[in-house]
Amino acid sequence: MRGLIPAILILAGVYGAISVGGGLWLTDREAVAQSATGDPAAGVVVDGQVPGNTLGNSSDAELWRAIRQGVEGNISSPGAQGGVLIQSEGENWRAVRNGPVSKYGVWGLLGVIAILAVFFAVRGRITIEAGRSSQTIQRFNALERFSHWLMAGSFIVLAVTGLNMLYGRYFLPDVIGKEAFAIITSWGKYGHNYLAFAFMAGLLLSFVLWVVHNIPNKTDLNWLLKGGGLFSKHSHPPAEKFNAGQKILFWLVTLGGFSISLSGLGLLFPFEIPMFAKTFAFLNIFGFGLPEQLTMMQEVQLAQLWHTVMGLVLTIVIVGHIYIGSVGMEGAFDAMGDGEVDLNWAKEHHELWVKKTLSSQASSDGSK
């Protein structure tokens, strides 16, 4: 307690000295400013001129036009970006992100949900027409199921946290409170950043395992012409391990996932991974006329916009996939559950694959 009192007195003295010194310094600065014109009222704008014997407003328009257009000035600190006072593309980025991207993203999400609801109301659940049999056939092994759930599980978290960052601030603070929203969003950001690597690993593994089964062929054209049998009963066009619809999904997820992973890496490591200038240069070969000279800040802004757009597109696509794989079709979830599907289900939806698999098993058993 004895040592505390002197410490308090010393701190009070230092604070007082700083206060007095600061006050004297400000007074001195005001005196210098006034003496520059010899008139205390020199700080008042006269005839539209800037006070203080500086350039008048005749040069302001040109000056601010240059600043507004992002002209780079001379600075003594390292980093050329610091010489840009106003980065106008930032306003364009915000307007696009909070405008058409957010608007059409909502319409897309609500639209796919509405379409699926109408489809379910009209078509109902697609059942196994022959009924369940007492036999099953292995559709996916343990490694295939692991790769699927690694990618799917991480994507669900990425989609939810990404949607929260895009739309959450508009309504969640009023529902759960600002503090709870801040905590959820903060932790969601960490989850989004780190689970991105799990998604990329699952995407790569799934591609390696299934690309050989997803090469388009003539069978797919017939499947598409018949709508995959989704819109009518007693009509199941033959398909291999993956039908045309699943192949389209595979390539959408593969290419979209690769693209969103690249833009995500650009956001995880900002100002280090420029991609759009080179991409634009390639596209300009085909006459697109896109800018090839981009600052690193513009690269980050474009990466964020592209990441958001691709995230919304993939989310819309995956909502449809989740519907078909769960409530939309009887027996479909078993494929990624324990990997064993009902034999009748497999014959109805993947007839060519079943024949090939059973023939292979028969040949294997006969050679023993």
Side-chain angles (χ1 to χ4, degrees):
M1 195 64 186
R2 294 180 192 174
L4 184 61
I5 294 177
I8 294 175
L9 293 176
I10 292 173
L11 290 174
V14 172
Y15 174 77
I18 293 175
S19 301
V20 173
L24 293 174
W25 181 80
L26 288 174
T27 302
D28 181 65
R29 295 297 296 175
E30 290 177 359
V32 171
Q34 292 178 5
S35 64
T37 59
D39 183 6
V44 179
V45 177
V46 179
D47 294 330
Q49 301 297 312
V50 178
N53 289 333
T54 62
L55 289 175
N57 64 350
S58 60
S59 65
D60 285 354
E62 291 78 8
L63 172 65
W64 285 107
R65 184 178 295 110
I67 293 176
R68 186 69 175 77
Q69 292 175 348
V71 174
E72 183 180 320
N74 297 321
I75 58 173
S76 58
S77 61
Q81 192 66 33
V84 180
L85 295 182
I86 297 178
Q87 206 255 348
S88 299
E89 288 84 357
E91 295 183 9
N92 299 333
W93 165 81
R94 184 174 60 250
V96 174
R97 179 184 183 273
N98 297 340
V101 172
S102 297
K103 176 183 176 181
Y104 294 124
V106 168
W107 282 114
L109 292 168
L110 295 178
V112 70
I113 293 173
I115 291 172
L116 293 174
V118 172
F119 179 78
F120 184 77
V122 175
R123 177 67 169 86
R125 192 181 197 195
I126 300 173
T127 59
I128 303 174
E129 293 183 11
R132 287 186 176 270
S133 68
S134 58
Q135 294 178 283
T136 61
I137 184 173
Q138 186 182 65
R139 178 144 174 80
F140 296 114
N141 59 37
L143 181 59
E144 290 175 310
R145 299 198 306 277
F146 169 77
S147 68
H148 172 270
W149 287 116
L150 177 64
M151 179 172 56
S154 57
F155 179 81
I156 289 174
V157 177
L158 293 171
V160 171
T161 54
L163 290 173
N164 176 55
M165 284 187 276
L166 186 61
Y167 299 114
R169 67 181 183 276
Y170 295 117
F171 65 94
L172 278 181
D174 297 330
V175 177
I176 62 177
K178 294 182 178 179
E179 291 185 4
F181 173 71
I183 293 173
I184 290 174
T185 304
S186 178
W187 281 104
K189 174 182 175 295
Y190 288 118
H192 197 94
N193 290 346
Y194 291 112
L195 283 176
F197 295 100
F199 171 77
M200 287 185 270
L203 180 69
L204 177 60
L205 183 56
S206 298
F207 175 78
V208 171
L209 291 173
W210 292 330
V211 64
V212 68
H213 301 292
N214 282 276
I215 306 300
N217 54 43
K218 293 185 293 184
T219 305
D220 300 324
L221 182 59
N222 179 56
W223 190 94
L224 290 172
L225 291 174
K226 293 185 177 181
L230 298 176
F231 302 97
S232 60
K233 297 181 179 180
H234 313 296
S235 176
H236 297 288
E240 299 178 344
K241 183 166 185 174
F242 292 98
N243 58 43
Q246 291 168 326
K247 289 180 180 181
I248 292 173
L249 175 67
F250 173 84
W251 288 111
L252 282 175
V253 171
T254 298
L255 298 177
F258 177 72
S259 180
I260 201 172
S261 297
L262 288 179
S263 60
L265 288 172
L267 296 174
L268 285 172
F269 305 99
F271 310 111
E272 296 181 21
I273 308 179
M275 293 178 293
F276 283 88
K278 295 180 180 179
T279 303
F280 290 169
F282 173 77
L283 293 175
N284 286 341
I285 297 175
F286 306 97
F288 281 87
L290 299 171
E292 298 180 20
Q293 300 298 323
L294 299 174
T295 65
M296 290 306 298
M297 180 64 74
Q298 291 172 324
E299 287 276 358
V300 172
Q301 290 166 344
L302 288 171
Q304 202 280 337
L305 282 177
W306 184 252
H307 195 75
T308 303
V309 170
M310 289 307 303
L312 288 167
V313 170
L314 286 175
T315 301
I316 291 169
V317 170
I318 295 304
V319 167
H321 174 61
I322 291 174
Y323 166 80
I324 290 294
S326 56
V327 298
M329 180 179 290
E330 180 186 7
F333 183 81
D334 297 337
M336 283 302 171
D338 58 8
E340 298 283 336
V341 296
D342 186 88
L343 186 58
N344 286 343
W345 178 91
K347 288 179 178 179
E348 291 178 6
H349 298 287
H350 301 275
E351 179 183 354
L352 300 178
W353 169 73
V354 171
K355 289 180 178 179
K356 185 181 297 185
T357 302
L358 294 179
S359 176
S360 176
Q361 291 177 354
S363 299
S364 177
D365 292 340
S367 63
K368 292 181 180 179

